[in-house]
Amino acid sequence: MDQTLSELNGSAVIDSHGRVVEIICRRNHGNHAFSIFQGANPLDFSFTTLLLEMSLVLILSQLMRFLLKPLKQPKVISDILAGIILGPSVLGHNDNFAKNVIPENSRYVIQNIGIIGFMFFLFVTGVKMDLAVIFKAGKKHWVIALSGLIIPHIIVWVVAICIRDYMDPELRKYSSIGGIVSAIIITTFPVIYSILRDMQLLSSEIGRVALTTVIISDAVGITVIIAFEAVKQGEDKGINALYYICTVVGISGLVIGGIPQVMQWINRQTPEGKPVDQKYITATLLGVFVIAFTTDFIGAAIGNGPLWLGLAIPDGPPIGATIVHKSEVIMNDILMPFAYATIGLKTDIFVMSECWSCLTPLFALATMAIVSKLVSVVMAARFTDMSYRDSLAMGFMLSLRGQTEFLLYLHWTDLKIIKTPSFSLMVILTIIVTGICSPIIDFLYDPTRPYMINKKRTIQHTVQESELRILACIYDQESVASLFSLLDFANPTSSNPFTVFALYLVELLGRAAPVFIDHTKQNEDYWDTNNEAIHNAIKLYEEARTDCISMNFFTSITPQRTMYQDICEIALLNKVGFIILPFHKKCIEDGNDFSTAILRPGVQSANANTLSHAPCSVGILACKNAAAWGSLPTRSSNCIHRQFAMLFLGGPDAREALSLADRMVEHPDVSLVVVRFLASEYKGDDESERKLDDGVVTWFWVKNERNDKVVYKEVVVNNGFETVSAVQSLNDSVPIDLWITGRKNGINPTLLEGLSEWTDNPELGLVGDFFGINRF
C-alpha cells in the first residue's frame, strides 16, 4: 500500500459536509520506461495527460478557426467555442472523457496557463495603446463614447433596482450590480482592437473612430474597476477600501511614472536601426509576472497590473515594436487558446438549464445593457452626422465583447459574486452578441465602398494644358529615385503642371491605432529614420522644380493588409488621376555590375488590392536596373537620351498607357517606339474596343507624325510566340530603357495565345511580366 501511494498523485473531491465523494488518482511520471506495448496506459501518467490536453486545446482552436472563418467570425469566437467543446458542455459531459482526459487534478495546469495568457494579452494590448489620443479626440468621439456610457448606465440601473429583490443575495449587493452593469456596458479597447484587426478594419474611417472612442471608454472602465474593487474590499471594514485605493494609486503611479523613464533609457541605449537587446526584453516580460503578482496580492483583478505596465511602455519602435514582435505569436497561438479553454472548462450549459429561473434577473439585466448600449451609440452617431448605415455599424462595433469580459467573469467567480450557472450564462451571451455583431458589421460596412465610383479619373481624359494630379507611393528609400525620374520623364511644364502627393507607407508595428500624418499641417516627430531622409529628398526635388511641380508629403503608418485603403482614400479625396506604385521587388547593386532582387514584404498584396479598388488609373514601376536611371535626378542630369517603347495590344489599359507615353515623348531627351499588335484579318477582336483604339491611335499619330523622335509600327501576329519574337527583335535592334504597356491582355486573346502559364506577377499583366529591362 505504501508503495502504491508513493507512485500515485491523488486528489479528492469533497462535498459541502466535508465528506469525500470521489478520489481521483494520477500516476506521477517516474524514471521507468513504459509503453502501450508493455500494457501501460499513458493516461495514467500526469505528464502524458498534460501533453494530450495541450494538443487537444491547440488542435480544436485551429479547427474552429478554419470552420468559422467563412461565417465571418473573429478568432475569439472560434477559440472560445473550442474551449466549450472541450469542457463539460460537450466532450467533458462524458464521464469517461472527463476522468481520463481532463481530470480534476490536471485542470489547474490549463487554467494557470490560461490566466497567464490573459495577462500577456492585456499587457501586449496595453503596449499598443496610446492614451494620448484622448487629448486629440474630437467632438464626435466624445459624444459617442459618453452617450454609450451614461445613457445605458441610467437605464440599466433603473431596471436593476426594479428586479433587485429577485436576485441572488450576493448579486443583489449594489457593489455587485455596479460591477456587472459596468462590465457589460463599457466597451474595452483590447476586444475591439483584436476583432477589427481580424476584420481588416483598423485603417478604415469607422475603424479609426471606433478605436479612439473605446480608448475614452477604457479610461472610464479602468476607473470603474478600481472603484468596484475598493467597494468590495470595504464591505467588511471601510478602512480596507482606503488602504486598497492608496495601494493602487501608489503602484499605478510608480508604474506609469517610472517605467516610461526606464524605457526611454533603453531606447537611448539601442543603436539606431538595431534591435533592442534581448536582456531588456526578457526583463520587461519578467515584469509582467511581478506586477501581476503584486496586483493579485492586494486583491485587484490580476489583469490590472499587466495592463498598467503595457500602458507605461511607449508604443511603436524600437522597444514597443520589439516586445510585440517577440511575444505576440506565442501569446495568440499558444497561450490564448488555454485562456479560452479555461473559460470553456468552467462553462456548463447543463447546469445553467437546470436553474433557469434563478438566472432570469441576470439575463434581463444583461439583455437590457446590451440593447441600451446599441441604441445609445447608434443615436449618438447619427447626432454627429454619420450615415444611417455607418451609425448602425458603429453601434454593433461598440457592442462587441470578448477577452476582457471573460477575464472579468472569472474574477467575479473568484469573488463569489456569480456561480457556475451565472458564469455560463454570461459566457454564452458574450458569444451570441459577438457572433451576431461580427457578420452584421461585415454586411453593413465595406471600407472600399467610397472608392467604387462609376467613372474613374484617367490621364487620357485629363485636359491638355491643365494640372495632372499624381499620387506617388513610397515604400522605402530605394523607390524614391526611380519615382522621381519617372515624374521628370512624364514631362511636367509650367503649362502642364503636376501636383504630386507623395505617400510614404510604413508597416504598423508595436502600436494598435494607425497613424496618418499630413506634413503640410502637422509637425510630428520622426521615429522612422527613413522618413526624414525621404522628406528631405522630396523637399530638394520640389525646390528644383517649383515652376512645374507642387509636392505634398504624407506618412501613413498602417497594417500591410490595409495599406491600399489609405492609398485609395488619398487618391479619392485629392482627385488624383494617376497612382504610381513601386514593384514589390527591388534591385540592390553590389558594386560589381550585379544586382540582387529583394522582396518588399506585403507590397505585392497592397499593389494588387490598389489595382482592384483605386478610383483612378494605376501604374506599377518595375525597375530591374536602378543604375540605368541614376540617382536622384536634377534638371541638368536629364541630358542622357532615353529610348522608350510602348506595346499596344488594345483596350482601355493600352489607351491609358499610350496617353502617358504621349506626354513622355514631349520630353526633349526621350524617343518613343509605339508597336501596335493586330490579329490577322482582325479575327477575334472586340469590335467596339477596336474602334475606340483606332480613334486614340489615329489621334496620337496625327499629333506626332512630324516628330522625328516617334516611330509607329503595326505588327500582325497569329499567336503569343510571334508577339514575343516581334518584341525581342525590337529590343535587339534598339536598347530600350523603359517599356510601357497596359496591364490587361488586350482585345484579342490570339495576341497572347500560349503565354498564360508563364506569368509570375499577375499585377503586371502577361506582357508587363514577360518583357523588359525597366518595366512600367
Side-chain angles (χ1 to χ4, degrees), residues 246-260 308 312:
C246 293
T247 306
V248 167
V249 171
I251 294 174
S252 59
L254 182 64
V255 171
I256 301 297
I259 296 299
W308 299 341

Side-chain angles (χ1 to χ4, degrees), residues 468 470 485-492 498 644 660 663-664 667:
L468 177 62
I470 297 174
S485 294
L486 181 66
L487 289 174
D488 273 350
F489 288 127
N491 197 40
F498 288 178
F644 295 172
L660 177 62
R663 286 178 174 266
M664 289 181 165
H667 193 285

Side-chain angles (χ1 to χ4, degrees), residues 387-401:
S387 67
Y388 285 104
R389 198 179 186 97
D390 288 354
S391 297
L392 281 171
M394 178 64 69
F396 285 109
M397 277 186 186
L398 298 190
S399 298
L400 294 169
R401 298 292 178 266

Side-chain angles (χ1 to χ4, degrees), residues 587-597 624-628 773:
C587 294
I588 305 298
E589 304 294 330
D590 61 4
N592 297 317
D593 296 329
F594 292 100
S595 61
T596 302
K624 289 182 66 177
N625 184 6
I773 298 174

Side-chain angles (χ1 to χ4, degrees), residues 289-416:
F289 293 98
V290 174
I291 192 66
F293 166 78
T294 304
T295 50
D296 191 51
F297 181 74
I298 65 173
I302 198 170
N304 280 336
L307 179 61
W308 299 341
L309 179 61
L311 290 172
I313 296 175
D315 61 343
I319 183 69
T322 305
I323 289 174
V324 172
H325 176 72
K326 295 284 187 180
S327 56
E328 198 165 32
V329 173
I330 294 178
M331 179 199 72
N332 286 330
D333 295 329
I334 303 296
L335 296 179
M336 284 309 293
F338 285 94
Y340 301 122
T342 300
I343 302 298
L345 290 174
K346 288 181 174 291
T347 304
D348 191 343
I349 60 175
F350 296 101
V351 173
M352 185 179 72
S353 61
E354 291 172 0
C355 59
W356 177 250
S357 59
C358 64
L359 297 177
T360 304
L362 180 60
F363 177 77
L365 202 67
T367 303
M368 183 57 65
I370 294 167
V371 173
S372 60
K373 172 79 173 184
L374 174 63
V375 174
S376 300
V377 171
V378 172
M379 292 175 61
R382 278 296 299 148
F383 177 77
T384 58
D385 295 328
M386 293 180 69
S387 67
Y388 285 104
R389 198 179 186 97
D390 288 354
S391 297
L392 281 171
M394 178 64 69
F396 285 109
M397 277 186 186
L398 298 190
S399 298
L400 294 169
R401 298 292 178 266
Q403 298 91 334
T404 309
E405 286 73 24
F406 293 141
L407 183 58
L408 284 175
Y409 301 158
L410 287 175
H411 186 54
W412 296 345
T413 305
D414 293 339
L415 296 177
K416 302 187 185 306

Side-chain angles (χ1 to χ4, degrees), residues 477 480 526 528-539 632:
Q477 292 188 41
V480 174
Y526 290 107
D528 183 280
T529 53
N530 287 326
N531 201 326
E532 187 170 7
I534 292 171
H535 197 184
N536 290 336
I538 289 173
K539 285 182 177 179
L632 283 177

